[in-house]
Amino acid sequence: MKDHIYKHIELTGTSTVSIEDAVNKAIKRAHKTLKNLSWFQIVETRGHIGAGAVQQWQVTIKIGFALES
Amino acid sequence: MKDHIYKHIELTGTSTVSIEDAVNKAIKRAHKTLKNLSWFQIVETRGHIGAGAVQQWQVTIKIGFALES
Amino acid sequence: MKDHIYKHIELTGTSTVSIEDAVNKAIKRAHKTLKNLSWFQIVETRGHIGAGAVQQWQVTIKIGFALES
Amino acid sequence: MKDHIYKHIELTGTSTVSIEDAVNKAIKRAHKTLKNLSWFQIVETRGHIGAGAVQQWQVTIKIGFALES
Amino acid sequence: MKDHIYKHIELTGTSTVSIEDAVNKAIKRAHKTLKNLSWFQIVETRGHIGAGAVQQWQVTIKIGFALES
Amino acid sequence: MKDHIYKHIELTGTSTVSIEDAVNKAIKRAHKTLKNLSWFQIVETRGHIGAGAVQQWQVTIKIGFALES
Amino acid sequence: MKDHIYKHIELTGTSTVSIEDAVNKAIKRAHKTLKNLSWFQIVETRGHIGAGAVQQWQVTIKIGFALES
Amino acid sequence: MKDHIYKHIELTGTSTVSIEDAVNKAIKRAHKTLKNLSWFQIVETRGHIGAGAVQQWQVTIKIGFALES
Amino acid sequence: MKDHIYKHIELTGTSTVSIEDAVNKAIKRAHKTLKNLSWFQIVETRGHIGAGAVQQWQVTIKIGFALES
Amino acid sequence: MKDHIYKHIELTGTSTVSIEDAVNKAIKRAHKTLKNLSWFQIVETRGHIGAGAVQQWQVTIKIGFALES
Amino acid sequence: MKDHIYKHIELTGTSTVSIEDAVNKAIKRAHKTLKNLSWFQIVETRGHIGAGAVQQWQVTIKIGFALES
Amino acid sequence: MKDHIYKHIELTGTSTVSIEDAVNKAIKRAHKTLKNLSWFQIVETRGHIGAGAVQQWQVTIKIGFALES
């Protein structure tokens, strides 16, 4: 098990569909500019309400990724 | 950005289907008697077990809504 | 309401599909060796990332069950 | 298991006697105006001191009750 | 020390001026419809940003008030 | 002071009488199958409401006990 | 309402009888050397187990008291 | 950087004016009897309500100071 | 409501004047290099003490801003 | 990545030497009766004091291990 | 098991060597003026950085000790 | 005391040796690309288990550093 250093960042993904979709949208965006994304953890699940229903899921996650040494 | 006052209430929605459905059921019920529902936050996700499977999702949320001035 | 004693255990279920599926997998496994499973509570939702998407949902739950007296 | 929606409220009961008595006083008061009280959870236990002894137990609880559909 | 029962509600006050002003706005609004407001506690301090500065302070407080017996 | 290893388990005791009685019921049950019970800590105090009064105290505790080496 | 400054200290009271008795023992001891004790808050409830029962309740409280100006 | 030992104490300052003023009042009082006060951290912000407005800000802080060796 | 992805960063602003001023200093600095700053949340309020008074307010905030897609 | 179910247990290891040694003692003991130990997390670090020095480090950890399917 | 009352104090020990050494330094200092030191718990581990390395470990602990009756 | 703005980042350092070594590895890596590193705080201590022993310490820290103005 090699000794890596990992960095954590915090993002909020949004989706009209589901919690899982909001998480995947945040990860997809992070993947555009960061390599080695490794794990995530849900920090908070909120959302926007309109017309008596959820209009948007807003899921905040921490993402961990290995830094190049 | 107008200066509103918001009130928060806490509800538990239940569903046999999914976490998202339980949240929407709680919001739909609140919408019957309250105007201006604006946002929610998931506070706790629990459930009832029967026959080795989830029988009911019980999701507690905080809902915020603007008070009439 | 009879006075039971309940024990709590903590498990992590994993799934490539959804948070709900990971919870159900953990409960299904517990059901193999324990009787009287009664309720659960989600403690943490994490996951493994690969190719810019969630590869595995990892959901930790507490499960409560009545002990035989 | 019918799908109810539950509301939670927070009250502080007070008593010169015990923690249990303070909880029961808060529940008795809520029962005057709310139907279907179902469960409670102790949130905080504080009190007033006088003459080197507890003069009043102040116990804050959350109460959950089913909303009429 | 009479044995009262207290109820707690949660409000968010907003202000363009200061944290203290946002708290007072929430209390002033609660005072319109509730008697016997007794104490508050700050739960969360957030705000809206525009043009590189705070545009609105959003302070969430719990308010406690004695119920009529 | 000998170097022991301790294990912790989590139980919920229930009682119609008091918080202390619920704790003792959980410990009495654990004592049936485990030796060397050493300490406990209250984790949560909840209960069931009926007829405007507490019908059952439900107290969750962690219990620590030394493992045989 | 005069503007006092209050100091908080943390004590653990112990009792073979009950949680309430352990709290009162801690307050009685503090009263020996400190004037103006005003309020307390329970921080933690633990205990010692022997012979399958609670042998000693150990209740940690914060006590607040006004300082002389 | 010399190796000091620091002690922390907890005080509540009160003020009719502002949160900042309540913090300064607590620090000023501590300064009367303690040398080397070094830093503080706000632990809790509460207050007393009267006539639909804040009558007194009550801010609890931890103060750290170096002990003489 | 468009589906944005938001990033959160954590900064500490400092001020000799007030909590509000320390928050604004941190936001002003973030605004130099980041577009679309949207909201903030106070995470911690600390400070430096000298001569029996607050010499510097140190307020840690989380700032959220929309990422370009 | 195969879909395993993991169980978590909580142990306290003790040592006169160091925090790391106490963690390893707890893991070594768990290894006697459990296969597939995978990860741990430190939950609490306490200790016993005697003669003005630490006599025993007491480190509580959670251990996760894969269940046989 | 005699019914003692315990007091808790909070100290920060510092060390250039290790976490364990910082804890022992805080305990050694407390031992100069307090009898009956019984246990400690680590509350926070921080430190000062210089030249790309830890220059000083700063470990905050709670210490409990029995009061003379 | 000059009014700086500080940024916080979160890293996980890993080591086969000790908690202190894992912290230093994370700081050494941050020092490669960031100036003015000032302090750190341990957020979480986890690790990987193999052959009944800790194979890797994984320590997550927050690091604070002054931003250039």
Side-chain angles (χ1 to χ4, degrees):
Chain A
M1 177 164 281
K2 197 151 161 301
D3 277 358
H4 286 296
I5 307 297
Y6 298 84
K7 186 171 179 181
H8 307 174
I9 56 168
E10 200 171 293
L11 299 182
T12 300
T14 57
S15 163
T16 56
V17 181
S18 69
I19 294 170
E20 284 86 347
D21 188 50
V23 172
N24 264 313
K25 287 225 171 95
I27 290 170
K28 190 178 171 188
R29 177 62 183 78
H31 184 62
K32 279 192 185 179
T33 52
L34 292 168
K35 283 189 283 194
N36 305 320
L37 301 185
S38 171
W39 61 270
F40 73 94
Q41 177 179 3
I42 292 184
V43 172
E44 195 178 54
T45 304
R46 302 169 72 105
H48 182 74
I49 301 174
V54 178
Q55 297 301 317
Q56 186 185 53
W57 298 89
Q58 303 163 337
V59 185
T60 300
I61 59 174
K62 269 197 193 178
I63 299 180
F65 57 97
L67 294 172
E68 318 265 304
S69 54
Chain B
M1 177 163 281
K2 196 151 163 297
D3 275 358
H4 286 296
I5 307 298
Y6 298 84
K7 186 172 180 180
H8 307 176
I9 57 169
E10 199 172 293
L11 298 181
T12 299
T14 56
S15 163
T16 56
V17 181
S18 69
I19 295 170
E20 283 87 348
D21 187 51
V23 172
N24 264 313
K25 287 224 172 95
I27 290 170
K28 189 178 170 186
R29 178 62 183 79
H31 183 63
K32 279 192 187 178
T33 51
L34 292 169
K35 281 188 286 194
N36 306 320
L37 301 185
S38 171
W39 61 270
F40 72 94
Q41 175 178 5
I42 293 184
V43 171
E44 194 177 55
T45 303
R46 303 169 71 104
H48 181 72
I49 302 173
V54 178
Q55 296 301 317
Q56 186 185 51
W57 298 89
Q58 301 163 338
V59 185
T60 300
I61 59 174
K62 269 196 192 177
I63 298 179
F65 57 98
L67 293 172
E68 318 264 303
S69 53
Chain C
M1 177 163 282
K2 198 154 161 296
D3 276 357
H4 286 296
I5 307 296
Y6 297 85
K7 186 171 179 181
H8 308 176
I9 57 168
E10 199 171 294
L11 298 181
T12 300
T14 56
S15 163
T16 56
V17 181
S18 69
I19 295 170
E20 283 85 348
D21 188 50
V23 171
N24 264 314
K25 288 222 172 98
I27 289 170
K28 190 179 171 187
R29 177 61 183 78
H31 184 62
K32 280 192 186 179
T33 52
L34 293 168
K35 281 189 285 194
N36 304 322
L37 301 185
S38 171
W39 61 271
F40 72 93
Q41 176 179 5
I42 293 184
V43 172
E44 194 177 55
T45 304
R46 302 169 71 104
H48 181 73
I49 302 173
V54 177
Q55 297 300 318
Q56 187 184 52
W57 298 88
Q58 302 163 338
V59 185
T60 300
I61 59 175
K62 268 196 194 180
I63 298 179
F65 58 98
L67 293 172
E68 319 264 303
S69 54
Chain D
M1 176 163 284
K2 197 154 164 296
D3 277 356
H4 286 296
I5 308 297
Y6 298 84
K7 186 172 180 180
H8 308 175
I9 56 168
E10 200 171 293
L11 299 181
T12 300
T14 57
S15 163
T16 56
V17 181
S18 69
I19 294 170
E20 284 85 348
D21 188 50
V23 172
N24 264 313
K25 288 225 171 96
I27 290 169
K28 190 178 171 187
R29 177 61 183 80
H31 184 62
K32 280 192 185 179
T33 52
L34 293 168
K35 281 189 285 193
N36 305 320
L37 301 186
S38 171
W39 61 271
F40 72 94
Q41 177 179 4
I42 292 184
V43 172
E44 194 177 54
T45 304
R46 303 169 72 105
H48 181 73
I49 301 174
V54 177
Q55 296 302 317
Q56 187 185 53
W57 298 89
Q58 303 163 338
V59 185
T60 300
I61 60 174
K62 270 196 192 179
I63 298 179
F65 57 97
L67 294 172
E68 318 265 303
S69 54
Chain E
M1 177 163 282
K2 198 153 162 296
D3 277 358
H4 286 296
I5 308 298
Y6 298 85
K7 186 171 181 182
H8 308 176
I9 56 169
E10 200 172 294
L11 298 181
T12 300
T14 56
S15 163
T16 56
V17 180
S18 69
I19 295 171
E20 282 86 348
D21 187 51
V23 172
N24 264 314
K25 288 224 172 95
I27 289 170
K28 190 178 170 186
R29 177 62 182 79
H31 184 62
K32 279 192 186 178
T33 52
L34 293 168
K35 283 189 284 193
N36 306 319
L37 301 185
S38 170
W39 61 270
F40 72 93
Q41 175 178 8
I42 292 183
V43 172
E44 194 178 55
T45 304
R46 303 169 71 104
H48 181 72
I49 301 174
V54 177
Q55 297 301 318
Q56 187 184 53
W57 297 89
Q58 301 163 338
V59 185
T60 300
I61 59 175
K62 270 197 191 179
I63 297 179
F65 57 98
L67 293 172
E68 318 264 304
S69 56
Chain F
M1 177 163 281
K2 197 154 163 295
D3 277 358
H4 286 296
I5 307 298
Y6 298 84
K7 187 172 179 180
H8 308 175
I9 57 169
E10 200 172 293
L11 298 181
T12 299
T14 57
S15 164
T16 56
V17 181
S18 69
I19 296 170
E20 283 86 348
D21 188 49
V23 171
N24 264 314
K25 287 223 171 95
I27 290 169
K28 190 178 171 187
R29 177 62 185 78
H31 184 62
K32 279 193 186 178
T33 52
L34 292 168
K35 282 188 285 193
N36 306 319
L37 300 185
S38 171
W39 61 270
F40 71 94
Q41 176 178 6
I42 292 184
V43 171
E44 195 178 54
T45 303
R46 302 169 71 103
H48 181 73
I49 301 173
V54 178
Q55 297 301 316
Q56 187 185 52
W57 298 89
Q58 302 163 338
V59 185
T60 301
I61 59 174
K62 271 197 190 178
I63 298 179
F65 57 98
L67 294 172
E68 318 265 303
S69 55
Chain G
M1 177 162 282
K2 197 152 162 299
D3 276 359
H4 286 297
I5 307 298
Y6 297 85
K7 186 171 180 182
H8 308 175
I9 57 169
E10 200 172 293
L11 299 182
T12 300
T14 57
S15 164
T16 56
V17 181
S18 69
I19 295 170
E20 283 86 347
D21 188 50
V23 172
N24 263 313
K25 287 225 172 96
I27 290 170
K28 190 178 170 187
R29 178 60 183 80
H31 183 63
K32 279 192 187 179
T33 52
L34 293 168
K35 284 190 283 192
N36 305 320
L37 300 185
S38 172
W39 61 271
F40 72 93
Q41 176 178 6
I42 292 184
V43 172
E44 195 178 53
T45 303
R46 304 169 71 104
H48 181 73
I49 302 173
V54 178
Q55 297 302 317
Q56 186 186 53
W57 298 88
Q58 302 163 338
V59 185
T60 300
I61 59 174
K62 268 196 194 178
I63 299 179
F65 57 98
L67 293 172
E68 318 264 305
S69 53
Chain H
M1 177 164 280
K2 197 151 164 297
D3 277 359
H4 286 296
I5 307 298
Y6 298 85
K7 187 171 180 181
H8 308 175
I9 57 169
E10 200 171 292
L11 298 182
T12 300
T14 57
S15 164
T16 57
V17 180
S18 70
I19 296 170
E20 283 87 347
D21 187 51
V23 171
N24 264 313
K25 287 224 172 97
I27 289 170
K28 190 177 169 186
R29 178 61 183 81
H31 184 63
K32 279 192 188 179
T33 52
L34 292 168
K35 283 189 283 193
N36 305 319
L37 301 184
S38 170
W39 61 270
F40 72 93
Q41 176 179 4
I42 292 183
V43 172
E44 195 177 53
T45 304
R46 304 169 72 105
H48 181 72
I49 301 174
V54 178
Q55 296 301 317
Q56 186 184 54
W57 298 89
Q58 301 163 337
V59 185
T60 301
I61 59 174
K62 270 196 193 179
I63 298 179
F65 57 97
L67 294 172
E68 318 265 303
S69 54
Chain I
M1 176 163 283
K2 196 152 164 297
D3 276 358
H4 286 297
I5 307 298
Y6 298 84
K7 186 171 179 181
H8 309 175
I9 56 168
E10 200 171 292
L11 298 182
T12 300
T14 56
S15 163
T16 56
V17 180
S18 69
I19 295 170
E20 284 86 346
D21 188 51
V23 172
N24 264 313
K25 287 224 171 98
I27 290 170
K28 190 178 170 186
R29 177 61 183 80
H31 184 62
K32 280 191 186 180
T33 52
L34 292 168
K35 283 189 283 194
N36 306 320
L37 300 185
S38 170
W39 61 270
F40 72 94
Q41 176 178 6
I42 292 184
V43 172
E44 194 177 54
T45 304
R46 303 169 71 104
H48 181 72
I49 302 174
V54 178
Q55 296 301 318
Q56 186 184 53
W57 298 89
Q58 302 163 337
V59 185
T60 300
I61 60 175
K62 269 197 192 178
I63 298 179
F65 57 96
L67 293 172
E68 318 264 304
S69 55
Chain J
M1 178 163 282
K2 195 151 165 298
D3 276 359
H4 287 296
I5 308 297
Y6 298 84
K7 186 172 180 180
H8 307 176
I9 57 169
E10 199 172 294
L11 298 181
T12 300
T14 56
S15 164
T16 56
V17 181
S18 69
I19 295 171
E20 284 86 347
D21 188 50
V23 172
N24 264 314
K25 287 223 172 97
I27 290 170
K28 190 178 170 186
R29 178 60 184 81
H31 184 61
K32 279 192 186 178
T33 52
L34 293 167
K35 282 188 286 192
N36 306 320
L37 300 185
S38 171
W39 61 270
F40 72 93
Q41 175 179 6
I42 292 184
V43 171
E44 194 177 55
T45 303
R46 301 169 71 104
H48 181 73
I49 302 174
V54 178
Q55 296 302 318
Q56 187 185 52
W57 297 89
Q58 301 163 339
V59 186
T60 300
I61 59 175
K62 270 197 191 177
I63 298 179
F65 57 97
L67 294 172
E68 318 265 303
S69 55
Chain K
M1 176 164 283
K2 198 153 162 296
D3 277 357
H4 286 297
I5 308 298
Y6 298 85
K7 186 171 180 181
H8 308 176
I9 55 169
E10 201 172 293
L11 299 182
T12 300
T14 57
S15 163
T16 56
V17 180
S18 69
I19 294 170
E20 283 86 348
D21 188 50
V23 172
N24 264 313
K25 287 224 172 95
I27 290 170
K28 190 178 170 186
R29 177 62 183 77
H31 183 62
K32 279 192 186 179
T33 52
L34 293 167
K35 282 189 284 194
N36 306 319
L37 301 184
S38 171
W39 61 270
F40 72 94
Q41 177 178 4
I42 292 183
V43 172
E44 194 177 54
T45 304
R46 304 169 70 105
H48 181 73
I49 302 174
V54 178
Q55 296 301 318
Q56 186 185 52
W57 297 89
Q58 302 163 337
V59 185
T60 300
I61 60 174
K62 269 195 193 178
I63 298 179
F65 57 97
L67 294 172
E68 318 266 303
S69 55
Chain L
M1 177 164 279
K2 197 153 163 296
D3 275 359
H4 287 296
I5 307 298
Y6 298 84
K7 185 172 180 180
H8 308 176
I9 57 169
E10 199 171 294
L11 298 181
T12 300
T14 57
S15 163
T16 56
V17 180
S18 69
I19 295 170
E20 283 87 346
D21 188 50
V23 172
N24 264 313
K25 287 224 172 96
I27 289 170
K28 190 179 170 186
R29 177 63 183 78
H31 183 63
K32 277 193 187 178
T33 52
L34 292 169
K35 284 188 283 193
N36 305 320
L37 301 184
S38 170
W39 61 270
F40 72 93
Q41 175 178 7
I42 292 184
V43 171
E44 195 178 55
T45 303
R46 303 170 70 105
H48 181 73
I49 301 174
V54 178
Q55 296 302 316
Q56 186 184 54
W57 298 89
Q58 302 163 338
V59 185
T60 300
I61 59 174
K62 270 196 192 179
I63 298 179
F65 57 97
L67 293 172
E68 318 265 305
S69 54

